[in-house]
Amino acid sequence: MYEMMFKLKEDTVLQKIEVLLADDNREFTNLLAEYISEQEDMEVTGIAYNGEEVLQLLEQTRNVPDVLILDIIMPHLDGLGVLERLRNLNLSPQPKVIMLTAFGQENITQRAVQLG
C-alpha cells in the first residue's frame, strides 16, 4: 500500500501557474518576471508593454494564462481598456487579473473592480 501511494506521488506532475505580465515599466517587468521564474510553481508565459500587446498575445496564442498581472496606466490602451476588451475575447477560462498601479484615484480603482 505504501509503495502504491509513493508511486502516485512520483507520477504527480506539478502544474505551473501561467502568468502574463503587462506593464510599460520594463525594469519593473523584468524584475517581476525574474522573481516569478524563480518560483517552482509559476512560469511567465508572456510579457506585454502596453495594452494592445496584451490583447495581441491573447488573440495570437489562444493560450489563456491563469493570471494576468496588469498595470492600469499604459500607453496605447490602458489596463481598464484591456479589461473591457478582454470580455469580448470570449476566453475560457477567463484569467484571474491582478491590477497594479501607482495611481491612487478612487474612481479608477472602482472602475477596475466593476470590470472584474
Side-chain angles (χ1 to χ4, degrees), residues 51-107:
E52 291 291 342
E53 287 181 5
V54 174
L55 297 173
Q56 287 172 2
L57 281 171
L58 292 171
E59 289 172 343
Q60 289 172 357
T61 65
R62 298 306 290 175
N63 181 24
V64 180
D66 300 305
V67 177
L68 169 59
I69 298 178
L70 182 63
D71 187 16
I72 289 181
I73 307 299
M74 291 187 295
H76 306 295
L77 182 66
D78 66 12
L80 295 178
V82 171
L83 285 179
E84 288 173 347
R85 291 177 50 188
L86 195 59
R87 289 182 179 179
N88 297 333
L89 291 179
N90 296 319
L91 301 175
S92 182
Q94 286 282 323
K96 305 292 184 218
V97 179
I98 299 172
M99 299 294 292
L100 300 177
T101 188
F103 196 62
Q105 288 224 337
E106 184 68 26
N107 60 338

Side-chain angles (χ1 to χ4, degrees), residues 8-82:
L8 286 174
K9 281 188 176 182
E10 275 183 357
D11 291 342
T12 302
V13 177
L14 181 65
Q15 180 101 18
K16 290 190 174 191
I17 299 168
E18 296 181 355
V19 180
L20 173 60
L21 302 176
D23 195 310
D24 61 319
N25 182 331
R26 291 175 186 264
E27 184 177 344
F28 173 74
T29 305
N30 290 337
L31 284 170
L32 187 55
E34 184 179 321
Y35 177 79
I36 290 171
S37 296
E38 291 172 355
Q39 308 309 305
E40 289 182 17
D41 60 345
M42 299 174 78
E43 70 177 322
V44 176
T45 58
I47 297 175
Y49 299 107
N50 65 61
E52 291 291 342
E53 287 181 5
V54 174
L55 297 173
Q56 287 172 2
L57 281 171
L58 292 171
E59 289 172 343
Q60 289 172 357
T61 65
R62 298 306 290 175
N63 181 24
V64 180
D66 300 305
V67 177
L68 169 59
I69 298 178
L70 182 63
D71 187 16
I72 289 181
I73 307 299
M74 291 187 295
H76 306 295
L77 182 66
D78 66 12
L80 295 178
V82 171

